[in-house]
Amino acid sequence: MFTKLCKSIKYGVLAVVILVSSSLAGGPQSQFPQGVSTTYVPHEILIRYTNRSDMNNSGILGQIQSLIGGSGFVQKIYKNLPIAWIHSENYTVSQLISKFRQLPGVEAVAPNYIRHIQGATNDTYYNDLWAIENNGQNNGTVDADIDGKEAWDIERGSHDVVVAVLDTGIDYNHPDLADNMWDGSAYNIPHHGWDFAGDSNGNNDDDPNPGNDDDLKHGTHVAGTIGAVSDNNRGTAGVSQLVSLMAVKVFRPNGYAYDSDILEGVDFVADLADQGVNIVAINASYGGGGASNVMKDAIEDLGNKGVVFCAAAGNEDNDNDTEASYPASYDLDNIIAVAATDRNDELASFSNYGETSVDVAAPGVAIMSTIPGNDYASWNGTSMATPHVAGLVALLAAYNPNSTVAERIQAISSSVDHIDSLEGKVATSGRINAKAALEAIGGDGNQNHAPRANAGGDQQVDQGTEVTLDGSSSSDRDGDILTYQWHMVSKPDGSDAVLVQENTVHPLFTADMSGDYIVELVVNDGEINSTADRVVITAIGDITTWSTGAYGNNEDRRQELKISGATQLSIHIEGETESRYDYIYIYDAEGNQIAKLDGNIDETLTVAGSSITARLTSDGSVTKDGVTITITEVNDNGGGNDENITTWSTGAYGNNEDRRQELKISGATQLSIHIEGETESRYDYIYIYDAEGNQIAKLDGNIDETLTVDGSSITARLTSDGSVTKDGVTITITEVNDNGGGNDENITTWSTGAYGNNEDRRQELKISGATQLSIHIEGETESRYDYIYIYDAEGNQIAKLDGKIDETLTVDGSSITARLTSDGSVTKDGVTVTIRSL
């Protein structure tokens, strides 16, 4: 058994420990409740009796009344521990201790100390699990890790093993934690644990979920390091990939824990252990306050129930040998005190240490883990180091269930990687090594270990697809042959589903409706069933509406909308985002952006194809109620052709947009294009491209232009810069006829309209059957910089005009091409070019 080297702590002295002002890693600073000292609660004490048999209610009540009077006090007796809590406004803490410490049957009396989280600053820029496997990423040192990946080749954990997290609660709905939460339903515990600090007065309730309170995210981060779910295609993985996490919330909304609340949590764990729950470790990532023999004895009792107490050494860069930090500094055989190292195996700059009082070190800098709200963060602290040890205890208990508390601590302590920087800093001079610890404790050679089911990854398929499930990654570390038991838990409509060949590695079923199909796999090694593994198959059918709802900060989410068989869609977007900061993007089926909208939105767009993707992004400040996006199929209302789209309204546009829309009239040979509306002059532009992709117009400012182009389709494009925006434009196309019913190909007039900077557009004009044309050009361009070119049917240039123009030319043939070019400065109203047959 590993023996600690003479921790010299004088428990009779009420050691004063300066509390760190930051209560949560990365969260806002919390202050102590008004009127409360920096170490303990005034007017309150905790009393430990020698025997619980001495603690009948009437006897204690009589003692209190005889010592401090018949009224003016509140008392509480713990369920499992021989401990009582007393509050009296009429006496100071020292007066209460003096009165009660001499009573017969009283073993210890202590203040109700206030403890704080052992976290420090956060760093959201690290997105890796270097503590599990350090490949030198982010300037780290190769193998400066706990050999977690190598350990998983030996043991991945078990749901039969429970770790209690005494902390700020756990977001048990987090998708990376939900499947590894302890199930307390057999003990009438509905929410995976208990809340012993539900409000500022420490009242209790049955829900230890902290919500999204910034001061209460710490416990969820700790839980993820111990046992985040693995192989689920998201987030992180805990040290123990399979474990049952028990949420024991002992921190009040102000971000601090009182010993009276912590003792209730310890009492809760002790009671469940007595009922047979296999609780192998407590993670205690907190500290502060003085020594309390009441608390020390309660922790010691847990050791007799099989619980290793993993405690954070503290974050004050102190030597705990000379300035103790509790509970880590209690000299108990079932406590393992943990310092923090960085990715280079250096002692963290903030970490407490102690050659005789701190046992081991573990990674505690830039530790990525879960936080409430389905999110993740990278934090520093001995709070982050300690759950690596608690997770390792869980692995050891799964690998050798018959091992003792002493054997588990000995396996961890004797197998550390010896690190030069830790010489004289921790008792073992080392950082934990999970693989070596498993090898040190050894498996139970006579034990048949439960197999591990793996139902494969979640899938997303089209409605009507035949789905093949994959159980081939299921395993049994004893090498036993497995049998497979698949079960369809639910279909989208709740009906029964048929799994073809359901007792094989690869069963089949048809996803005949849209929605989620939930399937479970249990494997059996001939004696033991595995824990069920669940996979979700999502069949995608037609989704025509997406309501974002009121959104939060820093969101980035998207939704595909689809109408099978449609060739064009009308898209209506209505609602509100924060103008110029939060955006709605619309992408066509190929991923091209066709709209970027913000502010008050009420827009209708059209797009070719049967599907779009809508996306919402938000920044870190103001939020709004969001938008609803609805798609409908576009028809030509004549029942003939669904492909015609003749109008595009850009609507009021946002900053930095680049969107486009094809307009089309099937069978047309020439189109008349009318563009009307407004963009920011010289910064935001409307481009028109013909069917071959040639640019035929670039317009800006106040626009009221009519153009003509050969072919049956055009593409219109809107671009904007990062400043002023306008109401946008409406573009309408109509088919050009000769009004005599004879020939639709003649185009005799081209008006360039007021043109923009850096344009280069052209138009063919034609009179079928003509042998010679008269060409009249009238209008204005910027002299010597912007030009009108005229080319004959063979492409020969016959004129280059600029400035004020009023010219008539003649040319042989039936067609010409007119061209406008402009530079990057002054623009004019443009010209009109007209041809007639001679």
Side-chain angles (χ1 to χ4, degrees):
M1 181 180 72
F2 175 74
T3 303
K4 298 187 179 180
L5 305 177
C6 302
K7 290 187 179 179
S8 56
I9 307 299
K10 297 182 179 179
Y11 296 106
V13 178
L14 299 181
V16 177
V17 179
I18 304 300
L19 290 178
V20 176
S21 62
S22 171
S23 64
L24 287 179
Q29 292 187 345
S30 295
Q31 302 301 319
F32 285 99
Q34 187 173 3
V36 175
S37 77
T38 57
T39 54
Y40 54 80
V41 184
H43 310 294
E44 293 184 7
I45 60 170
L46 296 162
I47 307 170
R48 180 181 175 91
Y49 287 79
T50 305
N51 298 300
R52 185 160 181 82
S53 58
D54 297 334
M55 295 184 61
N56 64 78
N57 223 8
S58 58
I60 290 179
L61 184 60
Q63 286 182 334
I64 295 171
Q65 289 175 335
S66 67
L67 288 173
I68 61 176
S71 62
F73 65 87
V74 181
Q75 61 141 348
K76 176 169 63 181
I77 298 175
Y78 291 83
K79 180 179 179 180
N80 191 73
L81 301 172
I83 293 172
W85 165 82
I86 295 173
H87 176 96
S88 174
E89 291 290 336
N90 299 325
Y91 294 90
T92 66
V93 170
S94 60
Q95 289 171 332
L96 289 170
I97 290 174
S98 177
K99 285 180 176 293
F100 280 90
R101 72 189 331 168
Q102 303 303 324
L103 283 178
V106 170
E107 184 175 297
V109 184
N112 187 12
Y113 283 110
I114 300 172
R115 314 289 176 176
H116 63 275
I117 294 298
Q118 295 289 21
T121 61
N122 67 46
D123 186 348
T124 59
Y125 298 104
Y126 292 96
N127 296 304
D128 51 70
L129 294 177
W130 67 266
I132 298 296
E133 183 180 19
N134 193 337
N135 294 315
Q137 61 268 49
N138 296 309
N139 298 314
T141 298
V142 174
D143 208 32
D145 56 43
I146 70 168
D147 277 358
K149 182 179 179 182
E150 294 85 347
W152 293 337
D153 291 335
I154 302 173
E155 179 62 64
R156 289 175 176 262
S158 169
H159 283 140
D160 294 332
V161 170
V162 181
V163 175
V165 181
L166 265 66
D167 215 291
T168 62
I170 299 175
D171 177 7
Y172 48 72
N173 293 317
H174 196 295
D176 230 3
L177 297 176
D179 288 347
N180 275 354
M181 293 304 300
W182 173 66
D183 181 2
S185 58
Y187 304 91
N188 296 316
I189 297 171
H191 299 302
H192 315 287
W194 210 263
D195 183 357
F196 296 102
D199 60 22
S200 58
N201 295 316
N203 290 316
N204 302 346
D205 60 64
D206 65 6
D207 190 355
N209 193 322
N212 286 318
D213 189 330
D214 280 344
D215 278 340
L216 299 178
K217 293 181 177 180
H218 186 270
T220 302
H221 195 279
V222 165
T225 299
I226 297 169
V229 177
S230 67
D231 292 332
N232 61 349
N233 297 311
R234 60 161 54 93
T236 60
V239 174
S240 187
Q241 296 185 0
L242 294 172
V243 69
S244 290
L245 297 165
M246 179 185 290
V248 184
K249 182 174 175 291
V250 295
F251 277 76
R252 300 185 184 185
N254 60 20
Y256 291 92
Y258 298 65
D259 271 4
S260 53
D261 299 331
I262 295 173
L263 282 167
E264 285 188 290
V266 169
D267 192 38
F268 175 77
V269 170
D271 183 50
L272 286 169
D274 286 343
Q275 295 183 60
V277 179
N278 185 29
I279 305 170
V280 302
I282 279 179
N283 192 93
S285 289
Y286 57 82
S292 166
N293 275 0
V294 175
M295 182 64 71
K296 175 193 172 192
D297 292 344
I299 294 171
E300 184 176 26
D301 288 345
L302 291 172
N304 299 325
K305 301 177 189 295
V307 180
V308 176
F309 196 88
C310 305
N315 298 327
E316 295 78 35
D317 186 26
N318 287 339
D319 184 346
N320 286 1
D321 289 353
T322 58
E323 189 173 356
S325 177
Y326 298 100
S329 292
Y330 290 125
D331 187 10
L332 295 172
D333 289 340
N334 66 314
I335 285 184
I336 185 164
V338 187
T341 55
D342 64 17
R343 65 177 73 244
N344 293 299
D345 267 339
E346 297 292 333
L347 184 71
S349 61
F350 53 80
S351 180
N352 288 4
Y353 52 91
E355 186 174 12
T356 63
S357 57
V358 178
D359 300 312
V360 298
V365 176
I367 302 302
M368 181 64 71
S369 188
T370 49
I371 60 173
N374 301 344
D375 208 349
Y376 301 85
S378 177
W379 288 355
N380 306 332
T382 53
S383 277
M384 285 63 254
T386 305
H388 286 91
V389 176
L392 177 52
V393 173
L395 282 181
L396 297 175
Y399 189 51
N400 190 338
N402 297 319
S403 57
T404 65
V405 165
E407 289 169 341
R408 291 165 189 170
I409 292 177
Q410 172 70 13
I412 293 170
S413 302
S414 65
S415 63
V416 297
D417 288 335
H418 289 271
I419 308 298
D420 290 344
S421 68
L422 298 177
E423 288 284 348
K425 297 296 185 180
V426 299
T428 60
S429 301
R431 182 248 313 124
I432 64 168
N433 183 306
K435 176 178 180 286
L438 287 167
E439 291 171 342
I441 204 166
D444 183 347
N446 297 318
Q447 181 187 10
N448 179 28
H449 299 91
R452 181 171 180 261
N454 188 325
D458 294 346
Q459 300 182 49
Q460 190 173 89
V461 300
D462 289 334
Q463 182 179 339
T465 299
E466 184 178 67
V467 178
T468 301
L469 299 170
D470 182 8
S472 62
S473 294
S474 300
S475 60
D476 183 82
R477 79 172 191 229
D478 303 316
D480 297 326
I481 296 174
L482 299 178
T483 58
Y484 296 80
Q485 305 159 29
W486 294 88
H487 171 62
M488 179 72 74
V489 176
S490 67
K491 282 182 63 175
D493 66 351
S495 64
D496 292 334
V498 176
L499 284 171
V500 181
Q501 300 174 328
E502 64 181 356
N503 292 323
T504 65
V505 178
H506 298 290
L508 310 171
F509 75 93
T510 299
D512 53 3
M513 63 185 72
S514 63
D516 288 341
Y517 295 76
I518 301 175
V519 186
E520 283 187 347
L521 171 63
V522 173
V523 294
N524 183 280
D525 65 359
E527 294 182 5
I528 304 175
N529 281 338
S530 70
T531 302
D533 189 42
R534 180 171 289 191
V535 65
V536 179
I537 310 298
T538 302
I540 304 298
D542 288 349
I543 301 174
T544 59
T545 299
W546 181 41
S547 293
T548 66
Y551 56 86
N553 292 320
N554 302 309
E555 292 210 23
D556 189 342
R557 45 182 162 120
R558 60 189 73 206
Q559 175 65 52
E560 183 185 33
L561 302 179
K562 182 176 181 181
I563 298 177
S564 297
T567 54
Q568 281 81 32
L569 300 174
S570 175
I571 311 157
H572 184 69
I573 308 104
E574 185 170 2
E576 186 178 11
T577 69
E578 184 188 12
S579 180
R580 299 182 60 185
Y581 294 98
D582 304 340
Y583 293 95
I584 299 296
Y585 298 86
I586 305 295
Y587 304 92
D588 66 15
E590 283 71 45
N592 301 309
Q593 179 182 309
I594 58 172
K596 179 181 180 185
L597 308 169
D598 65 298
N600 285 303
I601 305 169
D602 186 0
E603 299 296 331
T604 300
L605 311 170
T606 51
V607 64
S610 61
S611 68
I612 64 162
T613 297
R615 178 185 178 198
L616 164 70
T617 66
S618 63
D619 72 343
S621 59
V622 179
T623 59
K624 297 290 183 178
D625 291 335
V627 303
T628 296
I629 302 170
T630 304
I631 62 170
T632 55
E633 186 172 5
V634 175
N635 296 305
D636 66 356
N637 299 320
N641 194 324
D642 292 342
E643 295 188 2
N644 291 342
I645 302 174
T646 60
T647 300
W648 181 41
S649 293
T650 66
Y653 56 86
N655 293 317
N656 302 308
E657 292 211 24
D658 189 343
R659 44 175 160 131
R660 61 190 71 207
Q661 175 64 50
E662 183 185 32
L663 303 179
K664 183 175 182 181
I665 299 177
S666 297
T669 55
Q670 283 82 33
L671 299 174
S672 175
I673 312 158
H674 185 68
I675 308 104
E676 185 170 3
E678 186 178 11
T679 69
E680 183 188 12
S681 180
R682 298 182 60 186
Y683 294 99
D684 304 339
Y685 293 95
I686 299 296
Y687 297 86
I688 306 294
Y689 303 93
D690 65 16
E692 283 72 44
N694 300 309
Q695 179 182 310
I696 58 171
K698 179 182 179 184
L699 308 169
D700 65 297
N702 286 303
I703 305 168
D704 186 0
E705 299 295 332
T706 300
L707 311 171
T708 51
V709 64
D710 289 340
S712 61
S713 67
I714 64 162
T715 297
R717 177 185 178 199
L718 164 70
T719 66
S720 64
D721 72 344
S723 58
V724 179
T725 59
K726 297 291 184 178
D727 291 335
V729 302
T730 297
I731 302 171
T732 304
I733 62 170
T734 55
E735 185 173 5
V736 175
N737 295 305
D738 66 357
N739 298 320
N743 194 326
D744 292 341
E745 295 186 3
N746 291 342
I747 301 175
T748 60
T749 300
W750 180 43
S751 294
T752 66
Y755 55 87
N757 292 317
N758 303 308
E759 292 210 25
D760 188 343
R761 44 177 161 129
R762 62 190 70 207
Q763 176 63 50
E764 182 184 32
L765 303 180
K766 182 176 181 181
I767 299 176
S768 297
T771 57
Q772 192 174 49
L773 298 175
S774 174
I775 312 159
H776 185 70
I777 308 103
E778 184 172 4
E780 186 178 11
T781 68
E782 183 187 12
S783 180
R784 298 180 60 187
Y785 293 99
D786 304 339
Y787 293 95
I788 298 295
Y789 298 86
I790 304 295
Y791 303 92
D792 65 16
E794 283 72 44
N796 300 307
Q797 179 181 310
I798 59 172
K800 178 181 179 183
L801 308 169
D802 64 295
K804 291 187 174 182
I805 305 168
D806 187 358
E807 299 290 335
T808 300
L809 310 171
T810 55
V811 64
D812 290 337
S814 61
S815 67
I816 64 162
T817 297
R819 177 186 178 197
L820 164 70
T821 66
S822 64
D823 72 345
S825 59
V826 179
T827 59
K828 297 291 183 176
D829 290 335
V831 303
T832 297
V833 183
T834 306
I835 62 170
R836 62 185 180 86
S837 178
L838 293 176

